[in-house]
Amino acid sequence: MDMERVVLAPLTRQRSYGNVPQPHAILYYTQRTSNGGLLISEATGVSDTAQGYQDTPGIWTKEQVEAWKPIVDAVHAKGGIFFCQIWHVGRVSNTDFQPNGQDPISSTDKGLTPKIQIESVVKEIGADKVGIRLSPFADYSEAEDSNPEALGLYMVESLNKYGISYCHMVEPRMTLEEKSSVPHSLVPMRKAFNGTFIVAGGYVKEDGNNAIDEDRADLVAYGRWFISNPDLPGRFKLDAPLNKYNRDTFYVSDPIIGYTDYPFLEAKS
């Protein structure tokens, strides 16, 4: 697989204290930047009602926007391409994360369909700066759909008219933490979408290569293996061994441990 086909998946790391991106994120993201590589940021809240987890970043205040700038500039300086994964957690939130302890709101409360949101963002910044992540097969947080394949197909077909930069979809085999055996596939959605198609969900080098070779994807996003191997594209190119990841440090607030302290291949050798 070409190094440029390896994507950093959006990974919640919970190290943005007070919902403000921190200087240690500069090192974290630049460690994982390669020339021409695509990085998708950790999910970033769009408003003070969007949060549902401790110390996840936002982008709704001037302070947050300014805090993101040196991170983005550092990634660009190394030749990387950086997209911000914006989110609103909806009813996954609770009153502890809401202003004035109010009840959480969701897209259904506001009548905001994905198509309305895509139209608004494309109009504001242009289709070439817009991508979307879809998880129609997700079955956690009581979000299971009765016909996820039909939902996924409807979504990607609806997106074609906007000409967005990419569609990023999570494999139906993924549960919240591990892979499982399921009869569904993203192939129908891949065939229906007229743009760059990114897959994610439990991939290792071998099945990532297979996805590219079999034209089931244009790019493959990696999460846990990119956390523990900041030089993952280079390791794939050299067929080098990978550092094991430590799940216990995925979401701790330490700005170094489990975040920027995984060794590069040169350091190990």
Side-chain angles (χ1 to χ4, degrees):
M1 184 192 303
D2 294 336
M3 291 174 61
E4 292 80 8
R5 293 185 185 270
V6 179
V7 177
L8 175 67
L11 301 165
T12 296
R13 303 310 313 274
Q14 294 185 242
R15 290 163 168 87
S16 296
Y17 313 136
N19 306 128
V20 178
Q22 298 294 306
H24 49 249
I26 297 174
L27 178 59
Y28 171 75
Y29 282 110
T30 55
Q31 282 181 333
R32 289 156 182 79
T33 301
S34 56
N35 189 34
L38 172 61
L39 293 81
I40 306 176
S41 81
E42 58 206 287
T44 302
V46 295
S47 71
D48 60 355
T49 66
Q51 304 303 98
Y53 303 91
Q54 186 72 30
D55 292 332
T56 53
I59 197 166
W60 72 86
T61 71
K62 181 176 177 57
E63 180 186 12
Q64 292 164 337
V65 171
E66 292 302 315
W68 271 114
K69 287 181 179 179
I71 303 170
V72 175
D73 289 344
V75 169
H76 288 167
K78 290 188 67 176
I81 302 165
F82 207 12
F83 271 67
C84 180
Q85 180 70 57
I86 58 175
W87 76 344
H88 190 296
V89 305
R91 63 192 181 94
V92 172
S93 186
N94 60 61
T95 55
D96 289 341
F97 293 100
Q98 295 300 307
N100 303 314
Q102 67 188 38
D103 291 334
I105 59 173
S106 71
S107 56
T108 51
D109 296 328
K110 294 292 186 180
L112 294 174
T113 67
K115 288 197 293 182
I116 292 174
Q117 295 175 58
I118 286 287
E119 287 177 358
S120 300
V121 179
V122 166
K123 183 178 180 180
E124 184 69 25
I125 65 175
D128 62 318
K129 296 182 178 67
V130 178
I132 192 169
R133 177 175 165 101
L134 300 173
S135 307
F137 296 94
D139 61 357
Y140 44 90
S141 296
E142 300 179 350
E144 187 173 3
D145 191 82
S146 60
N147 193 338
E149 186 162 307
L151 174 64
L153 277 170
Y154 172 77
M155 285 298 302
V156 297
E157 289 169 351
S158 299
L159 291 168
N160 280 331
K161 67 179 180 179
Y162 301 111
I164 62 175
S165 187
Y166 66 78
C167 178
H168 176 199
M169 297 195 73
V170 180
E171 288 284 356
R173 65 189 181 187
M174 287 304 295
T175 63
L176 187 58
E177 294 186 347
E178 299 295 343
K179 290 189 289 189
S180 61
S181 297
V182 295
H184 301 291
S185 166
L186 294 180
V187 170
M189 280 131 271
R190 190 314 192 248
K191 292 180 177 179
F193 185 65
N194 298 333
T196 298
F197 194 78
I198 307 174
V199 294
Y203 277 93
V204 294
K205 178 185 176 182
E206 290 73 20
D207 59 350
N209 283 336
N210 291 339
I212 299 299
D213 293 342
E214 296 168 8
D215 198 33
R216 290 186 280 111
D218 298 300
L219 306 172
V220 180
Y222 293 85
R224 291 167 287 184
W225 292 114
F226 228 142
I227 287 175
S228 59
N229 296 273
D231 52 353
L232 186 66
R235 287 177 186 256
F236 280 176
K237 182 178 181 180
L238 297 172
D239 200 23
L242 303 181
N243 301 320
K244 294 181 179 180
Y245 53 82
N246 180 2
R247 190 184 298 276
D248 292 339
T249 62
F250 282 179
Y251 308 113
V252 300
S253 63
D254 193 286
I256 298 174
I257 296 174
Y259 192 59
T260 57
D261 61 344
Y262 283 104
F264 284 74
L265 187 62
E266 310 86 64
K268 290 186 69 175
S269 61

